[in-house]
Every structure is written in structure tokens, then in C-alpha cells.
Amino acid sequence: MARIGVFVCHCGLNIAATVDVAKVVDRVSQHPDVVHAEDYIFMCSDPGQLLVQGRIQELGLDGLVMANCSPTLHEQTFRNAAALVGLNPYLVEIANIREAVSWPHMKEPERATEKAIEIILATVEKVRQNTELHTIKVPVTHSVMIIGGGVAGIQAALDCADAGLEVHLVERTSSIGGMMASLSETFPTLDCPQCILTPKMTQAGKHPNIRIHAYSEIEEVSGFVGNFQAKVRHKATYIDWSKCTGCGECMTVCPTKKIPSEYNHGMAKRTAVYIPFPQAVPNRAVIDDKNCLWHPKGKCGICAKKCPAEAIHYEDNTEIEELEIGAIIVATGMEVLPVEHFGEYGLGKIPDVVTGIQFERLLAPSGPTAGKVLRPSDGAEPKEIAFLQCIGSRDPANYKPYCSKVCCMYTGKQAMLYKHAVHDGQAFVFYIDIRSDGKGYEEFIQRAMEEEKVLYIRGKVSKVFEDEGKIVVWGTDTLTGKWIELRVDMVVLATAAVASSGVTELASKLRITTDEHGWLKEAHLKLKPVETLTAGIYLAGAAQFVKDITDTVAQASGAAAKAIALLSKDHLERVPIIACVDQDLCVGCGYCETFCAYGAIAVDPVTGKAEVNEGLCEGCGGCAAHCPSGAATLTNYGKKQVFDMITTFTNGQVVQ
Amino acid sequence: MATERIIKVGRGETPSTAALAHLKQLLTSGHLDGLMIPMAMGGGRTFMHVLVTDPDALADADPFAPVMPVNGATSVSRLTKLEAPSGRIGVVLRPCEIAAAIELHKLLQVRLGDVVVIGVDCPGTISVKDHIDLVDAGKDPLSAVAEEPGLLREACMTCDWTRVQYHDMLLGTFGSDGKHVIVVSEDETLLGGLDKAPKGALEARESTIEKIEDIREKTTEAVEKEVDEHLQGPEGVAKHWETCIVCHNCMEQCPVCYCNECFFESQTFRYEGDKMMLWARNRGSLDMPTDKAMFHLGRMAHMVATCIGCGMCTQACPVGINVGRAFKYVASRVQPVYDYKAGRSVDDPLPQATYLEDELEPR
Amino acid sequence: MTDKDRKGEGKAAAGDDFEPVIVGFFCNWCTASAADLAGTSRMQYPPNVRPIRVMCTGSVDTSFVLRALLEGADGVLVGGCHPGDCHYVTGNYRARRRLTGVIKILEALALDPERFRFEWISASEGAKFAKVVTDFTEDIKRMGPSPLKEL
């Protein structure tokens, strides 16, 4: 007979307001294997843990059922607490009576209580058959792969590299820099990216521990924490980068000049052979084979002739490189909703209606207008500009329900920078609420209003259309209730931020998940915001959700710290819940072998029996379910354990 | 290239004795080192496979024995699983035995390539009990079947394997009127001394096969109709297995139930006494032993995708439950889901050994 | 006295007060997380489903489903990661093949195949989890107590 202790947490009122904890304690105490049951207000608190540890020692408990919140939160807490007083941590199991009971059944306290009792009793059935397990040590690879070369990826790369880890920074465009490289100046300090980002880019490019895989994408990722294998596809550049010096001569001769520049978000054109911007790292040219005349027709060839380094060969130099990786940081960033949306605001129809990120390029000294604000249609200086916030954000009916978070601030900044460029200009900002909740942010907005005389109008715009060379904006001032008509020269839309394109496919390759809007899902929104549910894979920057640069850099350093901590040891301790095979029962049919995606179980040709490779087994339990003989089992998830849990649910509790 | 030859059935001979003479010759000449073949037992009351190395020990053998107490694939597994015997061993198998051997080969329980499979045309077999009764009553089982075809086992009357689907050597009797045995093989050493098959012999066999297939399909339809009427729903299923004594003989005799110990016999399926009391209280009463439905449905879930329909389960049942009828009916509905036909080919991957990314979406 | 007797669910009769017993097998990486999310979001759904957390739907044995149904469950719900998203690469594909076999057996013998449901519910689909549980509970209520437990 086992000596199991059951500890029922109130979680303040989170559990106790719905579940009758006293009744739970009374009922579970009647199980013949439960020698002790009690409840406490916060079991995860220090006194709570001390209480549990005390009971283990004084009663000689050989198994614990902790009835509280989801195991993702405190399974480790209680396992550690038990281990400290000599109880093997794998004899501790969680019965989730909060997320699975008290919260979703708030209106049915009696049935919730019954459900809680059954879940606890089923867990008792499992624990009484658990065996002591000891962690497995596996060697780790001291390298980090960072996906995405924006400011998040760069920061994480520098932190990891400085800590002595080998860093592979994978960027799908031909230069690192990301969205930040396209910005004009940054709020609230008005630093330009050239001043603050370019040095970091150069540093990353020159760091002895960082290898930048530019113009590359993730093909495949296998393996597990500490020992991932990644296949990285170096896309065809058609140019020998070992020879290319980045002189840019090719761009001056390329006859195909009218391709919208990605770096300039369509506000300028580029050539088919191109370096995205002068400060690119690496500073190397690529040929865009969708637009180059050589592809597929074999015509032109001028750039190759003119290239002083003789680097251009037009040959498909796609290459797949395999990397051994210990940890992965995903820093794929964000985009804004594309222009085909928002026809109601004239976007895509009226040339002088642009998105916020496009307007950045008109403000940027490095942009197509060299920092002069000139409207796209005729190059004239706009004297009046309307900025419209929350376009597609906070709009659950049509676009995205969430607040895109950075728009209030960059709109204020853009209005301010516009006033700096056009002193006699007037800026109008339509807003729902102003959210300026960062350090120095509110003061910054006040400055825009008071010093730069930007006119803020609380309200939403209903229609934007052209009339006699002007753009007419109709809206309502919700503070005064007055209907407003503005006739302006330009309109700037703060369109909703969304996760980068292709991130869903990437997530699938990494076996991490996205939320309903495509943002990468963190392990816990509050307590594990940089971890994912997949061990060894971390999130940095706006890939997780919209962030400004401050938060992005902070999270990037956080992710880097996690990776550094993970890889600071020579060995990782792995959860010992893996498959094992009863050699007497095994009939050697090989079903398990056909199941296993890791090649961790195989029939030994000499013995004719299946054997498990402990280093490779990930503990999914698939072989056990596939094995008709019941020879393969997953440790502590035995079939009898599951059957007894089922019996508790179908037939109730054994009463003494 | 397969070559077709013929064994003439002479005066005073039967197809069985004529074919046996050829097999004996192969053993004598050393082209085969051993022969696993049905052998009369108890003065012909039944037949069992025997592994013969001495040609003189073949006297009571019959490659076309009309009774199949054990599916021969089980014996081929015993012979080859751990390590196939060196030398060339001929194994005489009916198509349903070959079907089982094909499944067992994929399950690493038989090394099919390491034996010489001698496939025989099979018009069907009589159950062991009927066979013994006929012999004991002084009747000739073959004549009895000729008079009353309904004596054949239901699995045989609804057999899917009229055409031998895999062999190293075929002994064909269909369409010969008992006058010859067609021998087909790609291996010349197995055909030594035999005449070329006369024109028309193969065509006659083929047309007989088609006729038999037609009859068997019609019988299958009739049986399925009975299942549709009676073996449906919890009540139908309960009634079908009403008399089951949970002896697990059906499993023991199933050729594709290959485990050392059946999972459903293991301790995993036992209940603590208190749990049984609980279950009994909740239901009012509890059938003992408790795991009847779990055993049959569980076994079905384990092996119905590889069930080849030989009906050994029915023959083995001491209380006369037509187990095979239910299994075959379900198999014919489960296997097509995986585009699979158990026993058809060694090249079709086992349904549970593979998957497609785009298939079988849940409702 | 047993637990079930107290609840009056032991030999439940069809009717308004019939509360089915449903056993759920939920993948640790997706559906169990979706259940957590549904709880955290305070989505309300009926308490009939009794969850068992498994590492992967690939580890759900056919005998788990059959045992539950034969022992007294009125329904069995398996929730796993969407195709292509398995934490263990292919476990959900294998589960789909294996468990489809159970559905087909139940179908062939008219043993109430609707009492077994297999759903893809990702970690972000808390609302889907709540809806699936609610719908399935209602469907099983409509079907009444399972006759399979009498087998």
C-alpha cells in the first residue's frame, strides 16, 4: 500500500470560491492509499511548500498529489520541494483543479467539486504506480541559431557571442538591420538608426563568434534542446560573395531599374542586381532572379561585364548548410498590414495616402527624398498632413482586435519630424486614445502637441477621397461631437502591425506555436515571456507581439540570457520519462521502430528484441501505444496507470 | 520468367499422390533439403504440417489435405523467425496460409525469402471436427464435400484467395478434372523431368478460378447480409459472443496474433478486487471473467487490419462462436480505409507502419 | 456507497438529468494547453469531460478508448495537435491512422461510433476547446447513456 499525500490549494479564491476544498479533502482521504490530505490557501508559497515538506518527512509519504493550477506552472516547484527533503521528484504529480475545474465551471460549484475529486483520485491512481526516476545527462552543443537579423536578432547575437557562444544569425534578406534600419528617427530620443543601429550591425558583422547567414532561410530543424540540427538554405545570389566588394558598380549599369525597393517600402525603386541600402551588412549584392533579364532568358549580362571583382556568375548557387545548434532564438519581427487593405482610406488608390512605415522613408535623411518631405504624386511639399491612427488595430469587426502599441508614439514622432522639415506645415492626428506608456513617452507626445503645435483630434475618420488636387478627410470629433472635413495634401495611415509573413510555416518547422493572430506563442505570458513550450527555443522582439525598440532590445537580451544559461553547462539534464521495453514480452515485430521519428527504438538483429536508445528517446510514448504486446511502455505512463485513471472516471472511487 | 509444366495423374493415382511423387523426387535429388507438408495423423482423421527430411517419411503426406487444423504460417514462423534454416526448405501452403505468412513476414515473424513456398490450389477445407466425424463414420471426406459443398468451412466458402498470390512453385489443380497438376515456377531445378503444360490447361485453370471466385463472392455477400441483420449494435454483438468462455483460443490459433503473450491476457488487464466490486455495484452485476468484450474488440483493434480471413478462430472456438465471420466482416471495412488488403503482397506496407500527411481527417 | 451512486450517475437513465461521463485524452503540447487557456480566459463549459494528459496523441492506445467505452464512459474525446504541428514530428498522423481503425470497427459493428471523437485543437485554440467540449457533451446527452457499457 502506498503512502500518498494529497495537498489541495485554495489559490486564494481562484479555486476555493468554486471548489469545496473541505469536501475534496474529506473525500480523497477515503482512498486507501491516501494517508494524508489537507488544504492550504497558497500551496506554492514558501509556507505552503514548507508544509508539504514537513508532511513528507513526518508521515514518510512516498507519493504526492498536488491539487492546484496547471502543471505548466508549478509542477517543477513541487518536484523541487519534494526532492529537497528526499522524495524522488517523479513521485510528485499535479492534479489540475484550477484551469481545468474551478475557472471553467464557476457556475456549477457542486459538479466542479465532483470533477476535482475525480481528477485528484485519478492522479492518486497514477502516482501510486509511479517509479523513482533519475535525470539523464546529455552533452550540449555550445552554439545558438538566431532567426531574423533585425535589432532583436542583432542584440541577442551580440549578447550570446560576447558570452563565448558560437552564433549563427540567419536573415532572409541580404542584409541584417530589419525594420529598424528603415526608420527615420526613433522616439522618444530622436536618434537616427544610422547613429544607433549601424554600429551594432557592423559589430555583429565583425564579431569573431558571429556568422551571419544573410539571404538564407530555415529549411528544416530536427533534434532537441541542446542538440538541434538545422538545415539552412543559402538562397541563390548568382554572385560570388567571396569576391563581391559591395562597390555597387553593378547597380549603376543594371537596365532593370523600376522594382519597388523593399528597404524603402515602395517609396523608391531599385535595380534587379542590388544592395538594399548603403550600410548593409554584409555589404554584398544579390540578383533578384524574378526581375533580372538574365533569368530566364539569358539576355543582358551587363553587370557581369562591368563588375570589377568579376564576382557575378549568374549560376544558381543555392546551398543547404547543416548546422549543429544548442539553442534557438526566434526574432522574426513584424510587418504592417499590406496596402491592399484599407481601400476605404484611399490606400493603394490615392498616391498621397501612405502607411506610417512609408512615411518614415520620406522623413529619413537616407530615404529617396534625402529627408525632404515631398509628396509622392508630384514631389510638392505638403503643407497639411492628416495622420490617422488605429487603422486596422482595435478593430475586431474588420481587422485586428489588439492595439498595435507603437503607432501612437511613431505618429507623434512623424508629426514632429514633419514640422521640423516643413516649418509652416500643419499636422493633424486622428486618434481614439493616446497610449504613451513608456519612459519619456508622455512628455514626448506633450512636446508634439505643445511645442510643435500638432493638432490632435479625438475621433475616427469615416472617409478619405480626392477632390480638386486635395485629399478630403471626413471625420467626427468625438469630444465636441462636431463633424469635421479637412482638405489636406497628404494622409498617413498608422496601419496595424502583424507578425512577419512566413512565420507560421517557420513555427511549424520549429514545433512551436502561434496564437490566433500569428504571433509566436510564449510559454507563459507573464512568467515565461521569452520561452516557448519547446525547450531550447526562445523568442525575442516583435515576433512574440508588437514591441517598440526599447522592449525589443530588452527581450532580446532576455532571450540571450536564457540561451546562455542553458548552454553554460557541458551537460543538460533531461527528463527521464522515456520508453522502455520488457524483453520477455517483446516479440520483435518492429512496429515500434516504424513509429519512432527519432530512430530511438529498434529491433536488435541479434536478440530479435526492441531496444531503446536513451539519448535519442524524447518520451512521446508512441511506441508504447503502437506495441501490440504491451512490451514497450513509457515510464510512469504505464497502461495500467492509464487504465486505473479511466476506471476512476468511469466507475468512481474506491471507498474504505 | 515463370515456366509452366505438368504432372500427369496416372492410373491408380490421385492429384495428391502424383504431386507428392514430384515433391519426393525433389527431396531425393537434393533440390530440396527439407519439406514442410501436411501429413495424415491418426490414420487420416486429421492432417498436420510435418517437417520432413527423409523422402521415405512422406508416405502419409498430402499437399492437398482437405483439413487445416493450424494455419501453416504459424509453423513457418516457428521454422524461420529466429534464424531461417540453412539449405532449401520447401513449405507447402494454401493461399490463406501464404497470406498469413506475408503478413508475418512484414511483422518480422517469418523470413519468407528464406524458404521455398510451394503454393497449392485450395478448393476449401473441412473443419477438423467435421473431418474427424466423417472419417470415424467411415466416409471419405472428399466425396462427402463433393456431395455437400456446405460442409466446407465458412471461411473457405467466402475465401478471398482463390488465386495463389505468392509462391516459388505452384501446384495447380483447378480446371484439371483430376487429370493433371499444373506446376509453375521460375526455378528450373524445381521443374526437373516434368512435361510442358499442354495447350488449354492454364486457360482451363483460369476459367475455373473465375467461376470459383464468383461463387465465393456470392457466398460472401450472403454472409455479409446475415451480419448486417444480426451482428449489429451492442445487442447483436453481445448475442454473437454470448456463449464465449473467454478461453482466448481464437487468439491462440490466429496466425497473425503473433505476440509472445497476448496483451489482453496480461496483468495490465486485471482489476483489483475493490475495483471489480465498484464496477459490479455500479452495474448491479458483473460478468466473470470481466474482459470478454474488451478482449474481442481489443484484439480486433490490434489485428483486424492484418486479418487474412482464414477462419482459424472459428474452428478453434470450443463453444461454436463464428468469430471469423465478425472479424472478416470488420476487416473488409477497415482494411480499405488504409487502401490495404492483408495477405495481398509483401510490398504493401503495414497500415500502422506508415501514414500519409493528407488522409483520414476526423469527422 | 460509491462516488457514482452519490451522483446518481451509476445507472443513469436518459432524460434531462442525464450527465454523461466523458473521458478526454489531451496532448500535453496543444489540447491540454488549450484547456489551460480556456480556463485562464474563464470560458465556461460543462464539467462532464474528465481529462487525462498524455504526452502525445500518438501515445493513445486503442485499448484506452475501448476500455473507457466498455467500462462506463458515455463518450471519449481525443484532442491533438493539428496535422504538421506535432511536437514529436509525426505522432498525430500515427494517432489518426490508429484511432481511425477504432472508429471503423465501431462503425462496422454499429457500436455508436459517434461516442468517440478525435479533434485537432492547438494550444491557442482555447475557444475551440470549450466549444468542442460543449458540443460533444450536448451530442452525448442527446444520445443518452452508452449501451456499450453493458457489453
Side-chain angles (χ1 to χ4, degrees):
Chain A
M1 199 65 71
R3 296 183 61 78
I4 292 168
V6 178
F7 296 88
V8 184
C9 180
H10 298 198
C11 194
L13 285 173
N14 280 312
I15 291 170
T18 305
V19 172
D20 180 345
V21 287
K23 185 174 175 192
V24 170
V25 167
D26 173 48
R27 289 275 294 284
V28 300
S29 310
Q30 297 172 35
H31 189 288
D33 286 322
V34 175
V35 295
H36 179 77
E38 74 178 291
D39 56 292
Y40 184 67
I41 182 162
F42 285 116
M43 211 61 89
C44 61
S45 65
D46 272 352
Q49 291 188 47
L50 281 171
L51 179 151
V52 175
Q53 288 173 323
R55 296 292 186 229
I56 293 171
Q57 289 175 310
E58 91 202 33
L59 298 168
L61 301 178
D62 61 6
L64 294 188
V65 173
M66 302 303 304
N68 39 255
C69 51
S70 164
T72 53
L73 295 167
H74 284 304
E75 185 176 75
Q76 206 53 51
T77 309
F78 294 120
R79 285 188 170 174
N80 291 345
L84 282 175
V85 291
L87 180 65
N88 186 282
Y90 296 95
L91 302 177
V92 179
E93 296 279 356
I94 304 290
N96 178 354
I97 60 165
R98 194 180 73 172
E99 285 82 351
V101 181
S102 67
W103 281 349
H105 310 313
M106 292 161 112
K107 290 170 197 146
E108 296 177 273
E110 278 180 28
R111 295 184 63 208
T113 304
E114 291 300 333
K115 182 174 173 181
I117 291 167
E118 284 193 21
I119 290 176
I120 294 168
L121 289 172
T123 313
V124 169
E125 293 295 333
K126 179 178 190 299
V127 171
R128 61 188 278 270
Q129 297 173 69
N130 272 9
T131 51
E132 292 191 5
L133 301 175
H134 302 279
T135 49
I136 300 168
K137 283 190 172 178
V138 285
V140 297
T141 311
H142 293 277
S143 69
V144 181
M145 179 168 76
I146 297 168
I147 306 170
V151 66
I154 293 169
Q155 183 63 47
L158 289 171
D159 288 351
C160 290
D162 286 345
L165 296 174
E166 180 188 330
V167 176
H168 296 276
L169 180 56
V170 182
E171 164 58 42
R172 67 177 168 187
T173 71
S174 65
S175 169
I176 59 171
M179 194 176 232
M180 185 176 169
S182 292
L183 302 182
S184 56
E185 292 172 18
T186 58
F187 62 80
T189 51
L190 296 186
D191 293 304
C192 70
Q194 278 65 35
C195 317
I196 58 171
L197 179 66
T198 312
K200 276 187 188 288
M201 289 165 62
T202 314
Q203 206 184 338
K206 292 197 156 78
H207 202 294
N209 288 348
I210 298 178
R211 235 190 94 196
I212 297 176
H213 301 258
Y215 215 52
S216 299
E217 290 188 28
I218 306 301
E219 188 79 5
E220 190 186 311
V221 173
S222 55
F224 274 84
V225 54
N227 295 286
F228 293 101
Q229 291 82 42
K231 287 185 183 166
V232 174
R233 185 158 49 88
H234 301 298
K235 297 185 284 189
T237 58
Y238 307 97
I239 293 174
D240 183 345
W241 276 14
S242 68
K243 292 181 183 165
C244 176
T245 60
C247 71
E249 187 67 22
C250 49
M251 293 195 283
T252 64
V253 297
C254 180
T256 312
K257 297 180 188 298
K258 297 205 165 163
I259 307 155
S261 156
E262 293 85 358
Y263 170 71
N264 283 303
H265 293 269
M267 291 286 97
K269 309 287 188 204
R270 65 162 170 83
T271 46
V273 55
Y274 70 104
I275 299 170
F277 53 98
Q279 300 80 16
V281 174
N283 189 13
R284 298 285 182 269
V286 294
I287 289 177
D288 163 8
D289 58 11
K290 286 192 187 65
N291 291 297
C292 171
L293 293 174
W294 189 271
H295 299 91
K297 294 179 193 154
K299 288 182 182 166
C300 190
I302 296 171
C303 58
K305 283 181 211 137
K306 294 283 177 177
C307 175
E310 296 182 348
I312 303 178
H313 52 56
Y314 300 120
E315 279 160 28
D316 185 339
N317 54 351
T318 306
E319 190 192 325
I320 303 224
E321 186 176 352
E322 292 190 26
L323 303 173
E324 295 288 323
I325 301 293
I328 297 173
I329 296 174
V330 190
T332 47
M334 64 181 188
E335 295 173 356
V336 293
L337 266 180
V339 290
E340 56 263 29
H341 298 289
F342 312 117
E344 63 269 42
Y345 300 113
L347 196 57
K349 288 188 281 191
I350 307 170
D352 294 331
V353 177
V354 298
T355 63
I357 188 75
Q358 290 176 322
F359 194 63
E360 288 290 328
R361 298 309 303 148
L362 296 183
L363 291 169
S366 64
T369 55
K372 292 199 177 79
V373 181
L374 305 173
R375 62 183 200 176
S377 63
D378 56 5
E381 194 176 68
K383 294 296 181 193
E384 286 171 309
I385 299 189
F387 294 88
L388 277 46
Q389 296 193 172
C390 296
I391 302 300
S393 305
R394 303 177 71 189
D395 186 359
N398 301 306
Y399 297 104
K400 301 291 177 189
Y402 52 78
C403 163
S404 287
K405 206 175 164 184
V406 291
C407 325
C408 284
M409 293 308 299
Y410 79 64
T411 299
K413 173 200 74 180
Q414 289 181 344
M416 193 186 278
L417 293 177
Y418 163 67
K419 291 284 288 183
H420 291 175
V422 183
H423 298 300
D424 57 345
Q426 179 59 54
F428 304 93
V429 176
F430 281 88
Y431 70 100
I432 306 179
D433 301 290
I434 294 295
R435 295 180 172 177
S436 51
D437 59 350
K439 189 170 180 179
Y441 288 11
E442 178 58 21
E443 298 91 316
F444 183 80
I445 293 292
Q446 291 303 327
R447 229 169 85 201
M449 289 177 180
E450 287 161 16
E451 292 178 21
E452 307 294 349
K453 308 290 182 214
V454 175
L455 189 61
Y456 274 77
I457 303 163
R458 190 178 194 278
K460 264 209 123 169
V461 167
S462 57
K463 197 175 176 185
V464 175
F465 59 98
E466 277 180 302
D467 182 46
E468 295 173 356
K470 285 277 186 183
I471 302 172
V472 185
V473 178
W474 282 355
T476 310
D477 183 332
T478 52
L479 292 179
T480 61
K482 277 188 188 151
W483 185 78
I484 293 176
E485 179 185 289
L486 292 178
R487 299 178 70 85
V488 297
D489 301 313
M490 264 193 98
V491 171
V492 180
L493 305 181
T495 51
V498 293
S500 291
S501 62
V503 77
T504 315
E505 293 75 19
L506 177 68
S508 183
K509 287 175 189 167
L510 294 171
R511 282 166 283 135
I512 59 177
T513 49
T514 53
D515 71 12
E516 57 190 308
H517 305 299
W519 302 105
L520 291 172
K521 201 163 186 300
E522 62 293 314
H524 188 277
L525 186 56
K526 295 184 188 306
L527 299 177
K528 292 183 177 177
V530 304
E531 291 96 327
T532 64
L533 280 175
T534 303
I537 301 187
Y538 307 103
L539 304 177
Q544 183 242 355
F545 188 64
V546 196
K547 280 179 194 64
D548 60 25
I549 295 164
T550 310
D551 289 354
T552 293
V553 172
Q555 199 194 16
S557 286
K562 289 282 174 190
I564 293 164
L566 175 78
L567 302 178
S568 64
K569 293 168 226 133
D570 288 333
H571 287 85
L572 279 185
E573 294 204 332
R574 283 193 37 200
V575 175
I577 295 175
I578 57 168
C580 58
V581 177
D582 181 322
Q583 294 290 301
D584 288 336
L585 286 177
C586 177
V587 68
C589 70
Y591 256 134
C592 51
E593 195 175 326
T594 68
F595 186 96
C596 185
Y598 309 109
I601 190 167
V603 177
D604 183 306
V606 178
T607 61
K609 307 270 183 182
E611 281 172 16
V612 177
N613 180 331
E614 288 191 356
L616 295 177
C617 178
E618 284 302 326
C620 73
C623 54
H626 237 45
C627 174
S629 306
T633 45
L634 182 61
T635 329
N636 286 354
Y637 281 87
K639 289 186 188 169
K640 177 89 168 89
Q641 288 178 293
V642 179
F643 283 163
D644 287 346
M645 294 178 83
I646 293 171
T647 303
T648 305
F649 293 151
T650 54
N651 278 288
Q653 121 190 55
V654 175
V655 182
Q656 270 173 325
Chain B
M1 242 333 254
T3 313
E4 293 96 19
R5 298 289 168 85
I6 201 161
I7 303 168
K8 291 212 174 80
V9 178
R11 196 180 291 271
E13 284 188 321
T14 63
S16 289
T17 57
L20 185 61
H22 178 64
L23 295 175
K24 186 172 177 180
Q25 168 58 26
L26 292 177
L27 200 56
T28 311
S29 63
H31 289 304
L32 289 178
D33 298 306
L35 190 61
M36 203 185 90
I37 187 169
M39 184 79 72
M41 302 271 154
R45 294 175 91 219
T46 184
F47 286 82
M48 288 288 279
H49 271 102
V50 170
L51 178 62
V52 180
T53 52
D54 177 359
D56 292 336
L58 281 171
D60 293 332
D62 182 353
F64 305 119
V67 62
M68 180 169 75
V70 176
N71 187 304
T74 309
S75 303
V76 182
S77 174
R78 294 283 155 80
L79 185 63
T80 62
K81 187 197 163 178
L82 290 187
E83 198 173 283
S86 43
R88 303 184 78 201
I89 314 297
V91 293
V92 177
L93 297 174
R94 296 171 187 85
C96 62
E97 295 175 304
I98 295 171
I102 284 173
E103 292 308 292
L104 292 176
H105 175 79
K106 290 185 259 188
L107 290 158
L108 313 182
Q109 306 301 305
V110 156
R111 297 167 199 252
L112 210 47
D114 292 346
V115 288
V116 178
V117 173
I118 301 168
V120 298
D121 277 350
C122 175
T125 59
I126 311 167
S127 78
V128 186
K129 184 176 179 301
D130 287 349
H131 191 269
I132 289 172
D133 287 350
L134 286 166
V135 173
D136 288 353
K139 289 181 190 157
D140 171 33
L142 284 182
S143 324
V145 170
E147 275 169 37
E148 174 47 57
L151 265 179
L152 292 176
R153 296 187 306 119
E154 183 178 297
C156 300
M157 292 192 285
T158 60
C159 176
D160 295 333
W161 309 110
T162 309
R163 200 180 303 270
V164 176
Q165 72 278 47
Y166 173 101
H167 62 77
D168 297 300
M169 178 167 88
L170 168 73
L171 299 176
T173 54
F174 286 153
S176 76
D177 273 342
K179 288 176 188 141
H180 59 253
V181 177
I182 293 168
V183 186
V184 183
S185 181
E186 292 180 12
D187 184 344
E188 282 296 327
T189 66
L190 299 173
L191 299 171
L194 297 180
D195 296 335
K196 269 183 129 179
K199 272 195 178 160
L202 285 161
E203 289 76 5
R205 177 171 178 267
E206 184 59 32
S207 99
T208 303
I209 286 175
E210 280 169 18
K211 274 182 212 148
I212 298 173
E213 278 182 338
D214 200 43
I215 296 167
R216 288 175 172 178
E217 272 168 32
K218 288 207 169 69
T219 314
T220 305
E221 278 170 29
V223 169
E224 295 209 338
K225 212 171 152 229
E226 279 190 46
V227 176
D228 288 339
E229 279 168 23
H230 302 297
L231 215 171
Q232 289 284 295
E235 282 171 21
V237 170
K239 191 158 171 42
H240 192 75
W241 270 286
E242 201 168 50
T243 54
C244 174
I245 58 170
V246 203
C247 67
H248 295 181
N249 257 359
C250 45
M251 173 273 291
E252 292 290 348
Q253 288 307 315
C254 174
V256 295
C257 265
Y258 56 91
C259 293
N260 291 335
E261 182 193 348
C262 181
F263 181 48
F264 302 104
E265 279 185 345
S266 69
Q267 190 115 318
T268 311
F269 279 86
R270 299 291 159 85
Y271 291 85
E272 288 78 1
D274 273 345
K275 293 209 177 93
M276 289 173 83
M277 284 299 288
L278 197 63
W279 201 6
R281 279 196 200 114
N282 284 338
R283 295 164 65 106
S285 68
L286 186 64
D287 295 347
M288 299 292 280
T290 47
D291 57 352
K292 186 162 86 182
M294 185 67 220
F295 169 70
H296 291 295
L297 290 176
R299 193 171 83 87
M300 216 175 242
H302 273 191
M303 52 60 68
V304 83
T306 49
C307 171
I308 47 87
C310 67
M312 288 296 98
C313 43
T314 301
Q315 179 172 271
C317 182
V319 291
I321 298 169
N322 196 340
V323 182
R325 173 181 280 200
F327 274 68
K328 193 168 179 205
Y329 179 89
V330 175
S332 69
R333 276 145 188 82
V334 169
Q335 293 174 10
V337 170
Y338 306 115
D339 195 15
Y340 189 74
K341 171 72 185 163
R344 182 171 58 190
S345 161
V346 287
D347 299 322
D348 298 342
L350 291 162
Q352 297 306 333
T354 183
Y355 68 94
L356 299 172
E357 289 185 4
D358 191 11
E359 63 167 7
L360 309 176
E361 265 311 284
R363 286 159 297 172
Chain C
M1 275 289 275
T2 69
D3 194 5
K4 283 295 181 308
D5 289 338
R6 285 179 195 161
K7 282 192 280 179
E9 287 178 17
K11 287 193 241 170
D16 291 342
D17 57 349
F18 166 56
E19 288 298 347
V21 175
I22 299 172
V23 178
F25 296 95
F26 301 141
C27 164
N28 179 55
W29 305 98
C30 52
T31 309
S33 287
D36 280 355
L37 177 60
T40 312
S41 315
R42 308 298 196 277
M43 293 170 187
Q44 301 295 300
Y45 56 82
N48 300 62
V49 172
R50 302 291 191 253
I52 295 178
R53 184 181 287 252
V54 293
M55 294 311 289
C56 177
T57 48
S59 74
V60 178
D61 198 300
T62 51
S63 59
F64 294 172
V65 178
L66 291 170
R67 173 91 155 208
L69 288 173
L70 294 171
E71 237 185 38
D74 298 296
V76 172
L77 176 63
V78 172
C81 305
H82 286 266
D85 291 347
C86 178
H87 185 77
Y88 302 104
V89 195
T90 57
N92 53 357
Y93 291 133
R94 314 310 295 265
R96 181 174 62 188
R97 274 217 155 207
R98 187 192 302 133
L99 298 175
T100 298
V102 177
I103 295 174
K104 294 294 163 187
I105 290 170
L106 298 177
E107 266 175 23
L109 297 173
L111 295 174
D112 287 13
E114 305 80 15
R115 293 188 183 276
F116 174 38
R117 190 169 293 182
F118 190 171
E119 291 276 354
W120 309 128
I121 305 172
S122 79
S124 61
E125 293 176 320
K128 181 174 179 184
F129 177 84
K131 183 172 184 332
V132 165
V133 168
T134 307
D135 291 352
F136 190 48
T137 306
E138 278 169 17
D139 290 348
I140 298 291
K141 269 192 185 179
R142 260 194 299 279
M143 291 176 74
S146 171
L148 302 183
K149 59 182 100 165
E150 306 303 328
L151 271 177

